[in-house]
């Protein structure tokens, strides 16, 4: 009969070993495609925070603006895209560890993120927006001073809310829909979030309205683990083609029409920054 | 391996965000203490209702049992979401209850506390029940023979003994409760796990989570050892009890 | 003056399917000491618990000081229990209270006595049973005999008219039995009405006014100690005594 002390020590060792093995194996999860032989894997695993309507939402195999673009790009490259649902707050970490081949999740290109991952050329303007409940006296970002506002954890919206507004407190939510619900319930007085998504959400949430588009001159890009230049270059090539032949504009129109914050509603995508 | 340590044990990140995570842990403690105080009181009420004697009290007993079964049968996370999602819309409640703001703590704090009290109250009720049933029947006989009513014998004789017996399981449930407070983050409350995740989202590094775990351990492990000591002491007492 | 303190008429008590008391008739006069003897399972403990209504009987009547208390509820129940004190085989002292507190708690909550009054009475009683120096002790620090004496004092603190004793020395080590019986003998001398379930035949012979032998839920035989103990009329009584006194 093992003494309690021995059992305790053995359990710790067993747990630690399991954890180390898991971490060790997790790192090399690029499946069989490595990156050496084929430029583009046969199946492109795409990490995405679903739902973020109308960029990615619905049931597998999912639909949305990002989904359409990625499917087009993938098929041009002779591969099939497989979207994997993943929480947004750990998406860059997971990508950097190789959990997906790329990330397509309405992700804004920022200098901090570029330290961890590489981005494609930009493909969509990424303005923020201020959304409130109908009848609120908040009209601009200055009006949220001293109030409680909401945003999604890990987004540039949360960043903006914390660092560029005088809100008394910022509540972060795992899913943007939770933030919208909190806004409806009056638990937060405003939500700061990507403009096209909030604008689109007005359709489902009749009480909520975007009162201000916040120009940040930032843009969306697809994200790649560092060192997957071959894939990234291939995707960039296809993106450029879609911009030239008007396909990108068509996809944007399909989902967002002429809404402000859509491709046509503000200055069109600039040339890719890298 | 170096990546592992960098991801989870980055000392710079731990140092830079220490006070933020510590503040989150302070919120964890606050949620735990307030929630537990309410849960322990409500649990005792429930247990006593469940034990109320006599035919006419049967609906009361049945209600108590149903409540306890249901609240022990659904996840605390669900209760938190249901409460926070529904209370603001219950028009028959006054506005101060629909968006509570007492003692400077925001509505989501109180929703969290309420969810914890309602759920853990059910767990505590079962702990008290075991305690009450563990008091030898002779105690009740003696109290009733002396002329004490049911309420008097409960108050002076049975309940004090029951509570003494169940201090270890009450403390164990408190540790569980303390860990479960992290669920309140889904309605926006920043306790220690959430604080760690916010740092993680901003720094792309998980060391703040490790820090949060350490803060928990510093608290819960001594508490667990205390429970062991209390149990050992109780067992020694039972062995010493004269016939 | 001649009215009996306690009258039991055809009392029946069942637990589920098991009928434990099958028609008990018993009369106890003021100042009487009646010892109830019999094999285990005969219903002796149940009899006592029926008298103070811890177990209400299914059939029959119980009359206390001229009042029918068989179906007593609430306030009437308290009337009963204040007049009848009971001492248990397992003492049943409240372990979380000192000896003194064991005595005061019911006086204060049930009888509404003031704190001073209750304390004075409790001290006096504990002195009387020889435990003046143990007033502040918790039951776990007392010997069995001491605990039982506290239990007797606790019952007496309520000024009962009748005292019921349920094999109060059976759980004691032999050398501790005497101190408890001595306290009981003093009570007898003071004229307390007592119903004592016991195995202590010597005690019964010395102090009892009558002895009742119970078996199978009925009183088989009742008479003076000389009659029942030395010269039992019934065969069953003879057999029981033979077994008990034989060693």
């Amino acid at each position: 009969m093992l003494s309690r002390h021995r059992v305790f020590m053995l359990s710790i060792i067993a747990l630690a070993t399991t954890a180390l093995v898991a971490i060790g194996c997790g790192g090399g999860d690029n499946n069989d495609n490595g990156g050496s032989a084929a430029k583009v894997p046969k199946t492109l695993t795409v990490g995405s925070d679903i739902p973020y309507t109308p960029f990615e939402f619905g049931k597998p195999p999912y639909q949305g603006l990002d989904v359409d673009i990625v499917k087009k790009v993938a098929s041009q490259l002779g591969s099939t895209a497989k979207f994997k649902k993943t929480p947004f707050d750990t998406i860059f970490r997971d990508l950097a560890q190789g959990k997906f081949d790329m990330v397509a999740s309405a992700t804004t290109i920022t200098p901090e993120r570029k330290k961890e991952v590489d981005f494609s050329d930009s493909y969509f303007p990424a303005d923020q927006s201020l959304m409130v409940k109908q009848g609120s006296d908040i009209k601009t970002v200055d009006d949220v001073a001293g109030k409680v506002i909401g945003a999604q954890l890990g987004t540039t919206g949360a960043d903006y809310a914390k660092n560029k507004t005088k809100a008394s407190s910022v509540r972060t939510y795992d899913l943007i829909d939770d933030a919208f619900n909190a806004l409806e319930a009056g638990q937060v007085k405003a939500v700061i979030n990507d403009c096209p998504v909030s604008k689109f959400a007005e359709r489902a949430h009749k009480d909520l309205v975007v009162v201000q588009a916040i120009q940040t001159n930032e843009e969306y890009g697809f994200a790649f683990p560092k060192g997957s230049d071959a894939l990234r270059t291939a995707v960039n090539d296809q993106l450029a083609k879609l911009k030239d032949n008007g396909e990108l504009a068509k996809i944007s129109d399909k989902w967002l029409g002429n809404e402000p914050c859509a491709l046509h509603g503000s200055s069109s995508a600039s040339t890719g920054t890298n | 391996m170096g990546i592992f340590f960098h991801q989870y044990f980055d000392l710079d990140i731990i140092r830079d965000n220490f006070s933020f995570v510590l503040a989150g842990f302070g919120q964890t403690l606050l949620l735990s203490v307030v929630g537990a105080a309410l849960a322990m009181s409500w649990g005792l009420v429930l247990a006593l209702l469940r034990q109320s004697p006599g035919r006419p009290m049967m609906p009361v007993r049945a209600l108590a049992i149903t409540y306890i079964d249901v609240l022990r049968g659904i996840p605390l996370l669900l209760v938190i979401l249901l409460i926070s999602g529904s209370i603001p819309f219950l028009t028959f409640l006054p506005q101060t209850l629909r968006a509570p703001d007492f003692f400077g703590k925001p509505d989501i704090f109180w929703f969290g506390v309420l969810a914890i009290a309602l759920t853990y109250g059910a767990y505590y009720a079962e702990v008290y029940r075991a305690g009450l049933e563990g008091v030898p029947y002779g105690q009740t006989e003696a109290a009733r023979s002396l002329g004490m009513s049911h309420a008097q014998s409960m108050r002076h004789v049975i309940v004090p003994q029951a509570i003494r017996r169940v201090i270890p399981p009450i403390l164990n449930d408190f540790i569980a409760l303390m860990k479960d407070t992290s669920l309140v983050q889904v309605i926006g409350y920043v306790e220690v796990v959430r604080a760690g995740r916010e740092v993680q989202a901003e720094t792309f590094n998980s060391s703040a989570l490790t820090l949060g775990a350490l803060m928990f351990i510093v608290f819960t492990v001594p508490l667990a050892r205390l429970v062991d000591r209390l149990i050992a002491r109780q067992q020694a007492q039972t062995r010493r009890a004269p016939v | 003056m001649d009215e009996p303190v306690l009258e039991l008429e055809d009392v029946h008590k069942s637990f589920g399917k098991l009928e434990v008391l099958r028609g008990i008739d018993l009369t106890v006069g003021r100042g009487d000491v009646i010892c109830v003897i019999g094999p285990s399972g005969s219903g002796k403990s149940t009899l006592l618990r029926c008298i103070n209504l811890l177990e209400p009987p299914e059939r029959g009547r119980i009359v206390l000081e001229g009042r029918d208390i068989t179906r007593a509820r609430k306030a009437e129940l308290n009337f009963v229990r204040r007049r009848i004190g009971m001492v248990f085989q397992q003492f049943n002292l409240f372990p979380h209270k000192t000896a003194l507190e064991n005595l005061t708690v019911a006086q204060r909550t049930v009888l509404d006595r003031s704190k001073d009054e209750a304390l004075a009475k409790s001290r006096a009683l504990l002195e009387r049973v020889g435990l003046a120096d143990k007033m502040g002790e918790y039951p776990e620090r007392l010997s069995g005999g001491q605990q039982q004496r506290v239990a007797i004092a606790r019952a007496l603190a309520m000024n009962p008219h009748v005292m019921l004793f349920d094999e109060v020395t059976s759980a004691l080590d032999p050398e501790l039995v005497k101190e408890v019986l001595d306290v009981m003998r003093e009570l007898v001398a003071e004229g307390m009405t007592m119903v004592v379930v016991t195995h202590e035949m010597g005690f019964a012979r010395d102090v009892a006014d009558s002895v009742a032998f119970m078996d199978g839920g009925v009183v088989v035989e009742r008479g003076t100690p000389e009659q029942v103990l030395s010269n039992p009329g019934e065969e069953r009584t003879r057999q029981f005594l033979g077994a008990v006194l034989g060693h």
Side-chain angles (χ1 to χ4, degrees):
Chain A
M1 190 60 200
L2 291 175
S3 74
R4 269 185 72 197
H5 182 71
R6 286 253 180 82
V7 172
F8 182 67
M9 292 308 297
L10 282 172
S11 317
I12 297 292
I13 294 172
L15 279 164
T17 315
T18 317
L20 289 174
V21 169
I23 305 282
C25 289
D29 200 16
N30 281 2
N31 33 64
D32 36 330
N33 297 310
S36 52
K39 294 203 305 191
V40 178
K42 268 273 128 211
T43 315
L44 197 63
T45 44
V46 184
S48 190
D49 170 34
I50 302 167
Y52 198 60
T53 322
F55 285 85
E56 45 268 333
F57 63 101
K59 294 206 189 10
Y62 307 116
Q63 42 177 326
L65 203 152
D66 280 340
V67 178
D68 283 351
I69 298 180
V70 171
K71 267 162 60 174
K72 269 237 147 42
V73 166
S75 76
Q76 293 296 100
L77 295 176
S79 112
T80 20
K82 188 154 182 226
F83 273 73
K84 267 169 87 160
K85 200 175 195 184
T86 192
F88 193 77
D89 62 310
T90 51
I91 205 170
F92 295 109
R93 178 196 74 177
D94 290 348
L95 178 67
Q97 287 179 358
K99 207 164 160 194
F100 332 101
D101 295 319
M102 65 183 278
V103 156
S105 197
T107 48
T108 307
I109 303 172
T110 74
E112 292 80 30
R113 291 174 180 174
K114 275 159 78 166
K115 291 190 198 145
E116 305 288 315
V117 299
D118 289 336
F119 281 94
S120 70
D121 297 334
S122 64
Y123 67 94
F124 203 91
D127 291 334
Q128 289 296 316
S129 68
L130 183 69
M131 187 182 220
V132 299
K133 199 165 177 182
Q134 297 271 16
S136 160
D137 51 359
I138 296 176
K139 302 274 179 269
T140 72
V141 157
D142 297 326
D143 294 337
V144 307
K147 302 215 167 79
V148 175
I149 64 179
Q152 188 184 6
L153 179 65
T155 60
T156 49
D159 204 53
Y160 188 94
K162 283 192 192 159
N163 299 324
K164 299 218 175 66
T165 74
K166 292 204 168 52
S168 65
S169 92
V170 176
R171 293 187 186 174
T172 57
Y173 296 88
D174 290 344
L175 300 171
I176 192 57
D177 285 309
D178 293 337
F180 292 143
N181 290 334
L183 185 57
E184 292 231 39
Q187 284 169 4
V188 298
K189 298 293 177 246
V191 168
I192 296 192
N193 182 47
D194 293 7
C195 195
V197 174
S198 290
K199 206 78 187 88
F200 196 86
E202 284 178 356
R203 305 182 197 187
H205 298 267
K206 300 278 193 268
D207 289 356
L208 304 183
V209 61
V210 172
V211 292
Q212 185 187 15
I214 305 170
Q215 289 248 330
T216 56
N217 293 322
E218 289 174 321
E219 296 175 299
Y220 292 157
F222 300 115
F224 302 85
K226 285 210 181 286
S228 54
D229 292 325
L231 178 61
R232 191 161 55 89
T233 321
V235 168
N236 275 341
D237 289 341
Q238 293 308 317
L239 260 184
K241 290 201 185 117
L242 291 176
K243 286 175 196 169
D244 287 339
N245 64 17
E247 284 282 341
L248 192 64
K250 258 207 266 179
I251 293 176
S252 167
D253 283 349
K254 169 183 169 194
W255 294 104
L256 294 166
N258 269 331
E259 305 254 6
C261 303
L263 207 52
H264 291 161
S266 59
S267 53
S268 48
S270 55
T271 51
T273 45
N274 219 0
Chain B
M1 268 307 295
I3 306 176
F4 173 70
F5 279 107
H6 166 69
Q7 257 299 307
Y8 291 97
F9 292 96
D10 186 322
L11 293 175
D12 289 323
I13 299 220
I14 289 182
R15 203 178 337 127
D16 292 339
N17 295 284
F18 189 84
S19 46
F20 181 62
V21 176
L22 188 65
F25 192 67
Q27 295 307 311
T28 295
L29 286 175
L30 190 61
L31 268 171
S32 307
V33 166
V34 178
L38 289 174
M40 287 184 199
S41 319
W42 172 228
L44 185 57
V45 169
L46 272 173
L48 292 174
L49 287 176
R50 198 187 194 283
Q51 303 285 84
S52 35
R55 257 272 191 79
M57 294 301 267
M58 198 173 72
V60 171
R61 289 198 297 273
L63 263 170
I65 294 176
T66 309
Y67 176 96
I68 292 171
D69 284 346
V70 168
L71 268 297
R72 289 196 333 153
I74 54 184
L76 174 59
L77 183 54
L78 260 181
V79 178
I80 292 173
L81 291 169
L82 287 171
I83 286 183
S84 146
S86 63
I87 289 195
F89 297 106
L90 297 177
T91 44
F92 58 82
L93 287 177
Q95 187 58 21
T96 43
L97 285 182
R98 282 159 64 181
D101 185 15
F102 313 128
F103 304 107
K105 300 308 285 180
D107 52 347
I108 45 181
F109 174 83
W110 296 108
F111 292 153
V113 163
L114 180 63
I116 289 174
L118 290 177
T119 308
Y120 270 84
Y123 286 99
Y124 277 127
E126 287 297 272
V127 170
Y128 289 129
R129 174 162 83 112
L132 288 168
E133 287 178 359
V135 177
Y137 187 58
Q139 292 293 303
T140 309
E141 287 193 311
R144 302 310 301 273
S145 300
L146 287 169
M148 290 198 227
S149 66
H150 173 76
Q152 286 170 330
S153 62
M154 274 290 168
R155 181 165 156 230
H156 295 281
V157 177
I158 309 297
V159 170
Q161 291 185 60
I163 291 188
R164 255 157 255 237
R165 290 166 163 265
V166 296
I167 289 184
I170 286 196
L171 283 178
N172 273 333
D173 274 354
F174 175 73
I175 296 176
L177 184 157
M178 202 177 136
K179 295 182 294 176
D180 272 354
T181 58
S182 57
L183 292 171
V184 185
Q185 67 176 282
V186 300
I187 54 175
Y189 199 68
V190 180
E191 40 67 60
V192 68
V193 175
R194 188 51 156 208
R197 290 180 67 201
E198 292 202 353
V199 173
Q200 180 189 69
E202 283 160 25
T203 61
F204 307 103
N205 182 289
S206 312
S207 300
L209 293 179
T210 315
L211 183 58
L214 283 171
M215 290 184 185
F216 261 110
I217 290 175
V218 159
F219 209 85
T220 55
V221 169
L223 207 53
R225 289 286 78 76
L226 171 66
V227 171
D228 282 350
R229 278 223 314 272
L230 286 174
I231 294 181
R233 183 141 52 109
Q234 261 185 8
Q235 284 180 339
Q237 271 185 345
T238 332
R239 266 183 255 124
R240 262 195 289 121
V243 169
Chain C
M1 231 7 247
D2 287 307
E3 172 195 71
V5 169
L6 202 53
E7 281 171 272
L8 275 68
E9 275 175 36
D10 193 34
V11 169
H12 289 254
K13 175 69 187 171
S14 302
F15 293 107
K17 288 217 169 71
L18 183 65
E19 199 178 16
V20 178
L21 296 179
R22 296 163 189 237
I24 300 281
D25 293 295
L26 200 66
T27 312
V28 184
R30 188 165 298 285
D32 277 359
V33 175
I34 162 167
C35 283
V36 180
I37 62 175
S40 61
S42 54
K44 312 192 299 285
S45 285
T46 312
L47 172 64
L48 291 185
R49 281 168 172 75
C50 274
I51 293 177
N52 74 350
L53 297 174
L54 277 180
E55 303 282 359
E58 264 104 38
R59 251 166 63 198
R61 267 180 16 123
I62 303 182
V63 180
L64 175 68
E65 293 178 346
R67 232 163 114 165
D68 186 335
I69 61 169
T70 325
R71 306 264 170 267
R73 288 236 176 291
K74 301 231 170 192
E76 216 187 355
L77 207 50
N78 294 339
F79 161 86
V80 170
R81 300 216 179 113
R82 276 194 291 238
R83 278 168 177 66
I84 304 182
M86 185 157 175
V87 186
F88 300 86
Q89 183 174 356
Q90 300 296 341
F91 329 140
N92 292 337
L93 288 183
F94 306 138
H96 58 299
K97 294 191 179 297
T98 62
L100 197 58
E101 286 163 354
N102 261 272
L103 266 67
T104 56
V105 59
Q107 291 182 69
R108 307 229 32 228
T109 55
V110 178
L111 298 178
D112 252 331
R113 285 187 187 150
S114 76
K115 187 164 166 198
D116 295 328
E117 211 191 324
L119 276 173
K121 178 132 184 111
S122 307
R123 287 208 181 97
L125 277 169
L126 284 174
E127 272 179 35
R128 203 175 119 189
V129 300
L131 291 170
D133 55 334
K134 301 279 184 206
M135 289 191 208
E137 297 284 8
Y138 285 90
E140 66 170 0
R141 309 275 314 259
L142 301 174
S143 75
Q146 291 167 334
Q147 288 190 55
Q148 198 59 297
R149 283 187 275 154
V150 174
I152 296 177
R154 180 176 68 174
L156 290 175
M158 307 297 280
N159 290 104
H161 296 186
V162 183
M163 283 284 278
L164 308 176
F165 294 84
D166 188 5
E167 299 200 32
V168 301
T169 53
S170 299
L172 293 176
D173 292 334
E175 68 269 20
L176 301 174
V177 169
K178 179 176 185 307
E179 63 195 66
V180 174
L181 291 182
D182 284 345
V183 170
M184 289 168 73
R185 278 179 221 266
E186 281 175 31
L187 277 180
V188 173
E190 286 163 17
M192 174 65 76
T193 312
M194 293 160 61
V195 181
V196 183
V197 171
T198 185
H199 292 312
E200 297 288 335
M201 301 306 169
F203 176 82
R205 208 189 296 271
D206 289 344
V207 302
D209 294 306
S210 60
V211 171
F213 171 67
M214 265 185 78
D215 192 12
V218 291
V219 175
V220 171
E221 197 174 336
R222 181 182 175 173
T224 66
E226 291 71 41
Q227 289 170 336
V228 178
L229 295 176
S230 310
N231 226 348
E234 298 286 330
E235 178 57 33
R236 275 194 280 176
T237 321
R238 240 189 291 268
Q239 276 182 355
F240 172 71
L241 287 172
V244 169
L245 299 172
H247 55 17

